[in-house]
Amino acid sequence: MTDTELIPAPRAVEGPPGPGAALGRDTTLWAAPGTETTERWLRGALGAALGLPLRPGPQDGAGVRLLLDDALAPEAYRLDASADAGVEIRGGDAAGVFWGAQTLRQLIGPDAFRRAPVRPDTVLTVAPRVVEDAPRFRWRGLMLDVARHFMPKDGVLRYLDLMAAHKLNVLHFHLTDDQGWRVEIGRYPELTRTGSWRARTKYGHRASPLWEDKPHGGHYTRDDIREIVAYAAERHITVVPEIDIPGHSQAAIAAYPELGNTDVVDTAALTVWDTWGVSENVLAPTDATLRFYEGVFEELLELFPSEFIHVGGDECPKAQWRSSPAAQARIRELGLADEDELQSWFIKHFDRWLTARGRRLIGWDEILEGGLAEGAAVSSWRGYAGGIAAARAGHDVVMCPEQQVYLDHRQDAGADEPVPIGFVRTLEDVYRFEPVPSGLTREEAAHVLGTQANVWTEVMENQARVDYQVFPRLAAFAEVAWSALPAPDARDFTGFERRMAAHYRRLDALGVGYRPPAGPLPWQRRPGVLGRPIDGPPPNK
Ligand code: ACM
């Protein structure tokens, strides 16, 4: 194992000469107060993988030692491994110690990524190393859309493990959309009874003529959510829930027809949407709608302790509001200029509502249209522009431009990607993604909290498809989010690919169904089996 094989790359690593630290059945674990999450993870995950009991031992022994160190920044760590002193991980906080343990796992080798020992009673060696490391961004996220295709709870827990292995620390949980409502809300049982199932599903992208004629659905109970949030917290991952309003709401309207624009649509006849795209069925701008969603968010705040709560705000078609006499009357009554301001009225209401409860609102960059709510943060998805405007106005930003880090887009120009939607975004494209746009002052750039990769699941029917789209690109993304990389053109992609050779062995041990490494896929080497080439980006949703 050489030091250059760590992903994401650490700030600094040295490999002093000499023998490495041996890890075996007698290796002990000493954990200072405040490092318990890592202590539990080392025994439960690493210990289980390698058959190491990691019994409690002394602080001055040559086993594994975990401690906090005030001299280090939050999330920073220092790892020392040597034959004499064993392995010591110091963290600036509990999270830093945990990230240090993730590095230790990579230093041990691929077997450390399994769930049970495949070579029992082997003495493992960690080469002598001093690793000093700290993240570039405090928001290193993955957005999972569990609305378009439901990901059962076990899959979410698995993705939290995969995030932890890549030092990612925010799960943006897209829980509602036109095609499904995935979180139990006690006071509104129809949201999941009706809203979490659809009768059939468009197969492929929006323009596809194919349907899968069987029901699709599922949801998380409140205890499932509590489990997911606690499992994430053990791994120093924050779960930020998203309830998308006022658009992307057809599943909610199918469950509670009074939420829709009943003066222009027979909302009682609506079903959970069974195709892709952006539904015209949006929320009615009534006080009753606000009260309803206050009820939803009240329950959400009990389940999710995150500072930020995501309210969506993207892609809200305005046609129904334009034609609805009730919506037009509302615009006049509120003294608003137009439908864009009506959308802002929704968002501003929940900005005040969340702020009064000690939380912060975050929304997609459309929330800039019609005036940004005072304390709101922005997920910049339609390129950099929204994020730049928000940062210049003093708002916090998470950079997740579609052109760079939407992992539903295909990874290769060949027409035989499983569902070859969207732009081509290769592993190298993701590796060269820069979250902080040039042109921001230092002060403005400080508003870029970080970045996230977004996984929209219209064309990912199951976990195997999610794995294929997400990996290996998430490894490149993790390095962008964590490591102190130079400017995009100066990034050593060849070196990254070399390190990926080791990382693929880790992903193999984890059971990740990644897209095979760059270059033609095996069947593409045979002439005559390629499908129709695709000119330009086809519709992706
Ligand atoms: C989005 O992709 N509609 C945020």
Side-chain angles (χ1 to χ4, degrees):
M1 178 84 208
T2 64
D3 45 31
T4 53
E5 289 175 341
L6 294 171
I7 286 184
R11 291 278 159 112
V13 58
E14 282 174 34
L23 296 177
R25 296 194 63 77
D26 298 333
T27 300
T28 57
L29 173 62
W30 179 83
T35 66
E36 292 82 2
T37 51
T38 305
E39 180 185 14
R40 285 190 287 271
W41 183 85
L42 280 173
R43 287 214 179 87
L46 197 64
L50 300 168
L52 303 178
L54 293 171
R55 293 190 185 88
Q59 181 176 4
D60 55 4
V64 178
R65 297 178 309 288
L66 309 176
L67 57 161
L68 299 177
D69 185 341
D70 287 347
L72 297 173
E75 295 200 275
Y77 70 89
R78 179 187 159 107
L79 180 151
D80 285 89
S82 68
D84 296 342
V87 177
E88 181 178 277
I89 302 173
R90 296 170 171 266
D93 57 8
V97 178
F98 184 74
W99 305 131
Q102 299 306 315
T103 295
L104 173 62
R105 177 156 72 159
Q106 294 200 3
L107 291 172
I108 293 171
D111 286 352
F113 289 78
R114 297 187 181 275
R115 296 204 185 178
V118 287
R119 273 167 271 283
D121 296 324
T122 328
V123 174
L124 303 151
T125 334
V126 182
R129 289 287 177 268
V130 179
V131 181
E132 287 179 313
D133 204 4
R136 178 176 177 200
F137 293 109
R138 68 175 245 218
W139 185 302
R140 306 180 299 279
L142 177 71
M143 190 222 71
L144 271 185
D145 165 16
V146 293
R148 270 50 175 273
H149 280 101
F150 179 60
M151 182 183 275
K153 184 194 71 186
D154 275 357
V156 178
L157 300 178
R158 174 174 174 268
Y159 260 83
L160 287 167
D161 280 329
L162 293 173
M163 288 175 67
H166 292 82
K167 301 189 173 79
L168 299 175
N169 69 344
V170 178
L171 173 65
H172 171 167
F173 210 14
H174 183 78
L175 287 165
T176 70
D177 217 300
D178 295 316
Q179 296 86 357
W181 183 286
R182 305 288 175 221
V183 54
E184 178 189 24
I185 301 294
R187 71 190 81 177
Y188 305 129
E190 289 306 321
L191 285 173
T192 43
R193 199 180 295 144
T194 299
S196 75
W197 283 91
R198 57 179 182 257
R200 61 173 195 165
T201 297
K202 173 60 65 86
Y203 188 82
H205 59 66
R206 179 168 46 179
S208 155
L210 305 173
W211 296 86
E212 189 176 36
D213 266 317
K214 67 176 193 198
H216 177 88
H219 75 275
Y220 311 107
T221 66
R222 282 171 290 177
D223 277 350
D224 290 340
I225 296 285
R226 291 183 184 103
E227 181 183 355
I228 288 168
V229 168
Y231 194 86
E234 275 288 292
R235 285 151 185 78
H236 298 276
I237 297 171
T238 301
V239 185
V240 173
E242 178 186 350
I243 300 290
D244 206 342
I245 59 168
H248 287 279
S249 296
Q250 183 165 326
I253 299 168
Y256 290 95
E258 64 272 24
L259 293 173
N261 294 287
T262 51
D263 58 344
V264 287
V265 185
D266 176 12
T267 55
L270 284 179
T271 55
V272 176
W273 216 23
D274 59 9
T275 189
W276 312 130
V278 179
S279 168
E280 293 289 331
N281 292 297
V282 303
L283 298 178
T286 64
D287 287 340
T289 305
L290 296 185
R291 300 292 91 76
F292 183 97
Y293 275 87
E294 285 170 4
V296 170
F297 282 113
E298 252 169 48
E299 292 195 25
L300 216 66
L301 296 195
E302 285 166 18
L303 295 171
F304 294 92
S306 57
E307 176 188 9
F308 285 100
I309 301 290
H310 208 293
V311 301
D314 58 324
E315 300 178 316
C316 179
K318 307 293 188 308
Q320 290 187 358
W321 290 348
R322 267 185 226 111
S323 61
S324 154
Q328 290 302 315
R330 200 74 220 250
I331 287 175
R332 285 193 299 278
E333 179 195 320
L334 293 166
L336 303 176
D338 55 20
E339 292 77 18
D340 281 345
E341 288 198 3
L342 192 56
Q343 159 147 352
S344 294
W345 170 79
F346 264 103
I347 303 298
K348 285 177 178 166
H349 175 83
F350 284 102
D351 181 49
R352 286 190 298 272
W353 192 92
L354 287 167
T355 304
R357 284 155 186 79
R359 307 295 185 100
R360 293 181 64 192
L361 177 145
I362 184 165
W364 300 110
D365 56 60
E366 287 93 331
I367 69 171
L368 284 154
E369 293 159 12
L372 195 52
E374 207 174 314
V378 168
S379 308
S380 189
W381 76 276
R382 294 177 300 177
Y384 287 104
I388 291 172
R392 290 204 165 130
H395 291 261
D396 287 339
V397 173
V398 175
M399 278 294 179
C400 48
E402 171 171 29
Q403 295 79 355
Q404 326 279 345
V405 284
Y406 267 35
L407 300 185
D408 48 339
H409 291 292
R410 60 203 154 120
Q411 298 169 75
D412 187 83
D416 53 353
E417 286 296 299
V419 178
I421 62 151
F423 318 110
V424 176
R425 282 300 168 256
T426 63
L427 184 63
E428 181 166 359
D429 292 333
V430 174
Y431 194 67
R432 295 195 192 280
F433 163 56
E434 173 49 47
V436 180
S438 56
L440 292 185
T441 64
R442 261 179 101 81
E443 199 183 322
E444 290 161 356
H447 283 294
V448 180
L449 301 177
T451 179
Q452 66 183 35
N454 292 344
V455 180
W456 300 101
T457 58
E458 287 94 334
V459 297
M460 298 173 213
E461 302 81 28
N462 53 46
Q463 252 187 85
R465 286 284 300 118
V466 175
D467 277 9
Y468 186 96
Q469 293 300 124
V470 170
F471 290 98
R473 292 183 293 185
L474 196 69
F477 174 78
E479 193 146 308
V480 167
W482 175 278
S483 306
L485 294 180
D489 288 349
R491 290 182 191 168
D492 178 11
F493 180 67
T494 310
F496 173 76
E497 275 192 307
R498 190 162 21 83
R499 283 181 287 127
M500 277 303 290
H503 203 64
Y504 285 120
R505 302 293 77 76
R506 299 175 195 133
L507 297 178
D508 286 336
L510 283 164
V512 173
Y514 54 83
R515 185 188 189 280
L521 293 170
W523 61 88
Q524 292 174 314
R525 295 191 199 107
R526 287 172 39 220
V529 297
L530 292 183
R532 180 181 58 84
I534 288 178
D535 303 322
N540 67 314
K541 288 175 192 166

